[in-house]
Amino acid sequence: MYRGLRTLNGIFATAPLVMALVAVGHSSIAVAADAKVVVEQFSGAGATKYREQVKKALRELKVDVVSDKKLAATEADLGLMQASDSYAAVAAQLGATHFISGSGGGKKPTATLVAKDSAGKRVGQKTFKAKNAKLLDASISKQLSGALSELLGTSGGGAVAAAAPAAPAPEEKRATREEKREEKREEKREEKRAAAEEKSAQKPKQPAKPAKDEEDDEEDDEEDDEDVADASVKASASTPGSASWKGLDASVGAYIYSRQFSYNQNRAGGQEAYKTDPVAPAIAANIDYFFLPYLGLSAGGDFTVGLSSAKGNTTFGTTAMTYYVGPKGKMNFGPLEVNLLAAFAKQTFQLEEQVGDVQSNVPNADYTMVRAVLGARYDLGVVGLFGSFGYNHVLSMGAFTDAFPRATAAATEGSLGVSVPLGFLMSGLDFRAAFFARSFGIAMNSRGDDDNIAGGATDRYMGGILSVGYRTN
């Protein structure tokens, strides 16, 4: 019924960058006591490690960084998927003054930091660029501290201000020396490439063999291209138009429904119609587990309790149940989730055939079927809406064919519901209310010599489900 990343070679995953980012924490910075920063999820190559290093650098600058656990709890309390859905609300509840986001990637290594104020308005951006990963590491090592100071100060709150320049740390000196050496190596490679091109132009039939440095550069470029492609595919897991989460979605609750079975052109035999009076109570549950962001397994059903049927003064024991199991796929488009279920299913509704001298004369419903159900869920923040429409191909009708041996059937079904987050009790918990209906169309295919003759029948089930659900984030 119902919500990736090999790093670019040497950009944010290399040991020099880790040392560089840690080293910036020793810069001399004066910080106002009221600075409080939310570090959003980063994107691109090395996003996780880059984000953690930026958070560490902020803490060493004496900036109050909101913990991920506290941020997640606040988003759940507000009914938000992420802070960007309502920056102002998140900032008001956490007392945050800034939001920081970042990204990395590109054939020529690039790293970006973006600062937003408490209303989510972009107030500053810093981009680090270099010819290769080592130069980028050196650039970040020297500039990250000042960049964070500048970005947070740009917000207008004056939360962070640079103090007097401190003496270069040993790591910064080494980074500077490495930058100069890399620039010289790059110049030599350019000279060799130019010489090779000139030689190739003079002797077109004997192409010059690439110098070792050129081969190394080509290999590096190929690895960079592979890493960029890999990072793009994995990063797409969190963008609109793709599945963005995997895990558990389950619910359990009460199902109250009615059944109405009626004949069309009942011409011979003692078979009777049936109607609940007024409803039947059942326990319902379902569970979806997505082991991949776009594919999982689904199972569920309901079991009717405390039901009996009366005919005159005679009471017939009555049992009913439904269950299904099968694969389920899904895709996410921002707040919209679209899913498709293909399942094997069983539904029964059976009365005692005879009590004393009285017969029930109601054919037992015993449908074995294959279900195909298209569903959707839309998260509005405060509430979520969900619904489905499906087709059931009936494979067999069990004991029903004792009365009508050539009967065939098919069914359509639909549901519509709303979910309300209960984040104040537990993250991922919600309350769900839904209307559900399934209608079987039955063709009897009767012959003149049959004991029971009818043109057809309809078997309708409809009701409401109230349940408590849990969905991993």
Side-chain angles (χ1 to χ4, degrees), residues 130-154:
K131 294 181 179 179
N132 53 52
K134 291 183 179 180
L135 292 180
L136 181 62
D137 293 345
S139 177
I140 293 176
S141 175
K142 292 191 299 182
Q143 300 181 51
L144 182 59
S145 177
L148 289 171
S149 175
E150 179 182 350
L151 288 174
L152 298 180
T154 304

Side-chain angles (χ1 to χ4, degrees), residues 2-3 245-251 286-293 295-299 328 330 337 377 426-430 432 468-473:
Y2 297 154
R3 174 45 152 53
W245 69 276
K246 60 181 180 179
L248 180 69
D249 187 343
S251 67
N286 79 280
I287 180 171
D288 297 341
Y289 183 76
F290 290 92
F291 48 85
L292 294 174
L295 182 64
L297 289 174
S298 181
K328 189 174 187 178
K330 69 178 178 66
E337 175 189 302
R377 173 188 172 92
M426 185 176 73
S427 178
L429 198 67
D430 61 18
R432 305 174 187 181
V468 176
Y470 175 77
R471 180 184 175 100
T472 56
N473 295 318

